[in-house]
């Protein structure tokens, strides 16, 4: 089946924008807090936006905040609040972070719902703790069968390691008689895999996930090649909607079929839209910097509480500027947290 697009960050929060903004004025802290546990990653995928942004940031482990700071954040988020706050763990590759085992145990002990994104290559060795400490969802980045690895600068054997990790999670779920974590495969569409769209869905379905998300790229370039990719994506989306297999499939962010060429091949094109992310989400970087998005720093958790930053004038000012711009800043052009009209 094919469902409306959603990400692992906003799944479950299908509320009107006005409701999000109203909730932000009464909540102690965000609905979703994204913890970037490390800048490090053991892969170097050619299209990865995070990889390029990491090049502009401090080297891994040079100024990472201690576990005590992460613990304070979790204690804050554990305070009673409706709807309940939840945490999303990411990176870099979060399973490379030395603090990962302690953080997921703390989240479980304090009953804070959590999800995560991973490239899946280290999933097998961490499967036990991920299931034991009740992750709600694990989103695994995978972009096609083994032959795609070479095109995306992934080491040989990446696909096999991901498969082994997924099998480990399913096996431990069965032993513990639990449905969680749900496994989502996240596949970025683009020049690296558009020529195998005919078999891509079958390859991913063979890994037995609970759902699949196909993600439109966050960075695009102009040109005839991109127009060809856009047409291929359109045909693929139609074929997926017709197939309606047993595994739920979504496309994210939401882009109309008629706008695909504009999205993929015209980087200067600006879509009319608004954004609600800063009204329900904050990000904490490995060095403690807190941002609503991009490099718009509000402060640092080593010097301020998450609550104080959530109610800071800096965040209020950022929201006002975003509303006035109509989400038309350069960083907004292909952001995956907005809708495209």
């Amino acid at each position: 089946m094919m469902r409306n697009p959603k990400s692992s960050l906003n799944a479950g929060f299908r509320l009107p924008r006005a409701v999000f903004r109203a909730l932000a004025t009464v909540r102690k802290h965000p609905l979703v807090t994204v913890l970037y546990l490390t800048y490090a990653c053991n892969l170097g995928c050619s299209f990865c936006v995070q990889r390029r942004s990491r090049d502009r940031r401090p080297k891994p482990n040079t100024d990472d905040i201690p576990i005590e700071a992460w613990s304070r954040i979790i204690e804050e988020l554990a305070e009673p609040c409706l709807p309940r706050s939840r945490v999303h763990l990411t990176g870099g590759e979060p399973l490379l972070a030395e603090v990962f085992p302690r953080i997921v145990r703390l989240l479980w002990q304090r009953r804070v719902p959590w999800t995560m994104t991973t490239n899946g290559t280290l999933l097998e060795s961490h499967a036990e703790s991920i299931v034991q400490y009740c992750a709600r969802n694990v989103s695994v980045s995978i972009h096609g069968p083994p032959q795609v690895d070479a095109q995306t600068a992934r080491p040989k054997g990446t696909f096999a390691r991901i498969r082994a990790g997924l099998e480990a999670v399913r096996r431990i779920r069965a032993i513990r008689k639990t449905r969680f974590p749900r496994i989502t495969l996240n596949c970025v569409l683009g020049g690296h895999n558009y020529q195998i769209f005919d078999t891509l869905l079958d390859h991913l379905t063979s890994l037995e996930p609970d759902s699949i998300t196909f993600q439109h790229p966050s960075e695009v370039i102009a040109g005839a090649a991109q127009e060809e990719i856009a047409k291929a994506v359109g045909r693929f989306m139609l074929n997926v909607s017709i197939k309606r297999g047993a595994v739920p499939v979504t496309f994210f962010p939401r882009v109309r079929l008629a706008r695909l060429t504009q999205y993929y091949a015209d980087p200067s094109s600006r879509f009319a839209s608004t954004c609600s992310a800063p009204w329900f989400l904050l990000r904490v970087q490995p060095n403690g910097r807190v941002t609503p998005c991009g490099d718009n720093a509000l402060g640092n958790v080593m010097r301020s509480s998450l609550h104080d930053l959530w109610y800071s004038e800096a965040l209020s000012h950022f929201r006002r500027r975003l509303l006035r711009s109509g989400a038309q800043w350069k960083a907004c052009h292909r952001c995956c947290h907005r809708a495209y009209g």
Side-chain angles (χ1 to χ4, degrees):
M1 70 183 71
M2 182 172 165
R3 297 179 178 174
N4 291 332
K6 61 186 179 182
S7 75
S8 56
L9 295 184
N10 64 17
F13 298 122
R14 298 181 180 180
L15 299 175
R17 286 189 290 267
V19 175
F20 274 127
R21 293 168 185 169
L23 283 173
T25 65
V26 297
R27 292 184 57 83
K28 297 178 181 178
H29 30 64
L31 276 168
V32 180
T33 303
V34 184
L35 305 184
Y36 291 77
L37 300 186
T38 179
Y39 291 129
C41 185
N42 57 335
L43 298 182
C45 301
S46 57
F47 53 82
C48 180
V49 175
Q50 288 195 29
R51 184 198 68 173
R52 286 188 283 278
S53 65
R54 284 196 301 271
D55 292 341
R56 304 192 301 268
R57 293 172 177 162
K59 295 300 180 183
N61 302 320
T62 56
D63 59 354
D64 290 1
I65 61 176
I67 185 63
E68 291 77 16
W70 294 117
S71 299
R72 287 196 298 272
I73 294 171
I74 294 170
E75 289 296 329
E76 276 196 75
L77 296 176
E79 296 174 5
C81 193
L82 292 176
R84 292 179 67 186
S85 294
R86 67 182 173 94
V87 163
H88 185 77
L89 305 179
T90 187
E93 170 49 52
L95 296 180
L96 284 173
E98 293 181 3
V99 295
F100 177 83
R102 297 177 67 180
I103 284 178
V104 296
R105 179 168 179 160
L106 280 169
L107 290 167
W108 173 72
Q109 289 175 333
R110 302 299 289 134
R111 298 185 178 181
V112 177
W114 64 281
T115 56
M116 69 177 295
T117 295
T118 173
N119 62 37
T121 58
L122 304 175
L123 196 53
E124 186 175 17
S125 59
H126 290 272
E128 182 71 43
S129 61
I130 289 171
V131 178
Q132 177 183 355
Y133 295 128
C134 302
R136 303 299 292 175
N137 182 273
V138 175
S139 179
V140 179
S141 300
I142 183 170
H143 309 297
Q147 61 262 36
V148 173
D149 289 345
Q151 298 181 45
T152 57
R154 285 186 160 203
K156 185 177 180 179
T158 296
F159 187 88
R161 293 169 68 186
I162 294 173
R163 181 188 290 275
L166 296 174
E167 290 174 349
V169 171
R170 289 198 301 272
R171 182 175 63 254
I172 297 169
R173 281 194 320 195
I175 292 172
R176 291 181 169 271
K177 298 181 180 180
T178 178
R179 297 172 57 245
F180 298 101
R182 310 305 287 166
I183 297 171
T184 298
L185 299 184
N186 186 73
C187 177
V188 175
L189 303 175
H192 56 282
N193 58 15
Y194 82 102
Q195 293 180 328
I196 59 165
F197 278 175
D198 290 345
T199 59
L200 182 58
L201 182 59
D202 291 335
H203 276 296
L204 299 184
T205 303
S206 71
L207 296 174
E208 302 179 50
D210 299 297
S211 62
I212 298 172
T213 296
F214 290 107
Q215 182 177 342
H216 301 299
S218 298
E219 288 189 354
V220 296
I221 58 175
Q226 287 296 113
E227 293 180 10
E228 181 182 351
I229 293 171
K231 292 176 182 177
V233 170
R235 292 191 296 269
F236 181 57
M237 291 175 69
L238 286 173
N239 289 337
V240 170
S241 68
I242 293 170
K243 273 190 171 183
R244 294 185 178 275
V247 178
V249 175
T250 67
F251 287 85
F252 178 80
R254 184 193 300 270
V255 183
R256 297 176 185 174
L257 288 173
R259 295 289 190 92
L260 284 173
T261 299
Q262 180 183 355
Y263 182 98
Y264 275 78
D266 186 2
S268 64
S269 178
R270 299 188 177 189
F271 292 78
S273 183
T274 57
C275 175
S276 294
W279 281 266
F280 73 91
L281 181 148
L282 283 183
R283 298 168 171 84
V284 183
Q285 302 290 344
N287 58 10
R289 291 174 73 246
V290 177
T291 72
C293 76
D295 292 323
N296 299 281
L298 304 176
N300 194 296
V301 293
M302 294 298 289
R303 295 182 290 274
S304 305
S305 69
L306 206 60
H307 174 274
D308 289 344
L309 295 173
W310 183 241
Y311 278 96
S312 66
E313 175 55 30
L315 181 54
S316 296
H317 178 64
F318 176 84
R319 291 168 176 160
R320 291 193 296 269
R321 289 174 54 225
L322 182 63
L323 285 174
R324 286 196 297 267
S325 76
Q328 294 300 323
W329 294 334
K330 184 177 180 180
C332 301
H333 286 186
R334 296 298 181 271
C335 177
C336 62
H337 295 301
R338 57 172 283 191
Y340 294 83

